[in-house]
Amino acid sequence: MILGIGTDLANIDRIQGTLDRFGDRFRNRVFTDTEQRKAERRKDIAGTYAKRWAAKEACSKALGTGLRMGISWKDMAVSNLHTGQPVMAVSGWAKDRLDQMTPQGHEAIIHVTLTDDHPWAQAFVVIEARPVSAKTAG
């Protein structure tokens, strides 16, 4: 069952301007160390940050709160599987909220997809609840 859906569109040039103006202050407030290392290795640094910004916004919307009620930017972290597929991990208040949303006997799966076409970066997040099978429950 679907627990939440969120999407966000970010302007890459706006993120570049924020990086130029605030630099590490912005990076350290919003992005985890892993996200920063990934972005700084990429050719399109601002585009990489913009996609992750959009993913965090989309995740907060899928959690049903937006960025309020105690959620922190770093409570949501985007990484990639070895295949390149983006994945979202939550911690802190975002994890607490996800646990509250998840029905008993289910596990929550966060699906995320990212795309960009300069000057836009977009993310779409779906939070799914799947029944826990007897094999994985015990």
Side-chain angles (χ1 to χ4, degrees), residues 59-71 76 93-94 97 100-101:
C59 184
S60 72
K61 293 171 185 174
L63 289 168
T65 63
L67 286 161
R68 58 184 176 90
M69 296 176 59
I71 199 166
M76 300 164 289
W93 189 90
R97 173 69 180 144
Q100 291 170 358
M101 295 170 60

Coordinates of all heavy atoms in Angstrom, one line a residue, residues 59-71 76 93-94 97 100-101:
C59 N 10.8 13.8 -0.2 CA 10.6 12.9 0.9 C 9.8 13.5 2.0 O 9.0 12.8 2.6 CB 12.0 12.4 1.4 SG 11.9 11.1 2.6
S60 N 10.1 14.7 2.4 CA 9.4 15.4 3.5 C 7.9 15.5 3.1 O 7.1 15.4 4.0 CB 10.0 16.8 3.8 OG 9.7 17.7 2.8
K61 N 7.6 15.7 1.9 CA 6.2 15.8 1.5 C 5.6 14.4 1.5 O 4.4 14.3 2.0 CB 6.1 16.3 0.0 CG 6.5 17.8 0.0 CD 6.6 18.3 -1.5 CE 7.1 19.7 -1.6 NZ 7.4 20.1 -2.9
A62 N 6.3 13.4 1.1 CA 5.8 12.0 1.2 C 5.6 11.6 2.7 O 4.6 10.8 3.0 CB 6.7 11.0 0.5
L63 N 6.4 12.1 3.6 CA 6.2 11.9 5.0 C 5.0 12.6 5.6 O 4.5 12.4 6.7 CB 7.4 12.2 5.8 CG 8.6 11.3 5.6 CD1 9.9 12.0 6.2 CD2 8.4 10.0 6.2
G64 N 4.4 13.5 4.8 CA 3.2 14.2 5.1 C 3.4 15.5 6.0 O 2.5 16.0 6.6
T65 N 4.7 16.0 6.0 CA 5.0 17.1 6.9 C 5.6 18.3 6.2 O 5.5 19.4 6.7 CB 6.0 16.7 8.0 OG1 7.2 16.3 7.4 CG2 5.4 15.5 8.8
G66 N 6.3 18.0 5.1 CA 7.1 19.1 4.6 C 8.3 19.3 5.6 O 8.4 18.5 6.5
L67 N 9.0 20.3 5.4 CA 10.2 20.5 6.3 C 9.7 21.3 7.6 O 10.0 22.5 7.7 CB 11.3 21.2 5.6 CG 12.0 20.3 4.7 CD1 12.8 21.0 3.6 CD2 12.9 19.3 5.4
R68 N 9.0 20.7 8.4 CA 8.6 21.3 9.7 C 8.4 20.2 10.7 O 8.8 19.0 10.4 CB 7.3 22.0 9.5 CG 6.1 21.2 9.0 CD 4.9 22.0 8.7 NE 3.9 21.2 8.1 CZ 2.9 20.5 8.7 NH1 2.9 20.5 10.0 NH2 2.0 19.8 8.1
M69 N 7.9 20.5 11.9 CA 7.7 19.5 12.9 C 8.9 18.8 13.4 O 8.9 17.6 13.7 CB 6.6 18.4 12.5 CG 5.3 19.0 12.2 SD 4.0 17.9 11.6 CE 4.0 16.6 12.8
G70 N 10.1 19.4 13.3 CA 11.3 18.8 13.8 C 12.2 18.1 12.8 O 13.3 17.6 13.2
I71 N 11.7 18.0 11.6 CA 12.5 17.3 10.6 C 13.7 18.1 10.2 O 13.7 19.3 10.1 CB 11.7 16.9 9.4 CG1 12.3 15.8 8.6 CG2 11.4 18.1 8.5 CD1 11.4 15.1 7.5
M76 N 17.3 13.0 6.1 CA 17.0 12.3 4.8 C 18.3 12.4 4.0 O 18.8 13.4 3.8 CB 15.9 13.1 4.1 CG 14.6 13.1 4.9 SD 13.4 14.4 4.2 CE 14.2 15.9 4.7
W93 N 14.1 12.4 13.3 CA 12.7 12.6 13.3 C 12.0 12.0 12.1 O 10.9 11.5 12.2 CB 12.4 14.1 13.4 CG 10.9 14.3 13.6 CD1 10.3 14.4 14.8 CD2 9.9 14.4 12.6 NE1 8.9 14.6 14.6 CE2 8.7 14.6 13.3 CE3 9.9 14.3 11.2 CZ2 7.5 14.7 12.6 CZ3 8.7 14.4 10.5 CH2 7.5 14.6 11.2
A94 N 12.7 12.1 10.9 CA 12.1 11.5 9.7 C 11.8 10.0 9.9 O 10.8 9.5 9.5 CB 13.0 11.8 8.5
R97 N 8.8 9.5 12.2 CA 7.6 9.8 11.4 C 7.3 8.6 10.5 O 6.1 8.2 10.4 CB 7.7 11.1 10.6 CG 6.6 11.4 9.7 CD 5.3 11.7 10.4 NE 4.3 12.0 9.4 CZ 3.0 11.6 9.6 NH1 2.6 11.1 10.7 NH2 2.1 11.9 8.6
Q100 N 5.8 5.8 12.5 CA 4.4 6.2 12.9 C 3.5 5.9 11.8 O 2.3 5.4 12.0 CB 4.3 7.6 13.3 CG 5.0 8.0 14.6 CD 5.0 9.5 14.8 OE1 4.5 10.3 14.0 NE2 5.6 9.9 16.0
M101 N 3.9 6.1 10.6 CA 3.0 6.0 9.4 C 2.9 4.5 9.0 O 1.9 4.2 8.3 CB 3.7 6.7 8.2 CG 3.7 8.2 8.2 SD 4.7 8.8 6.9 CE 3.8 8.3 5.4

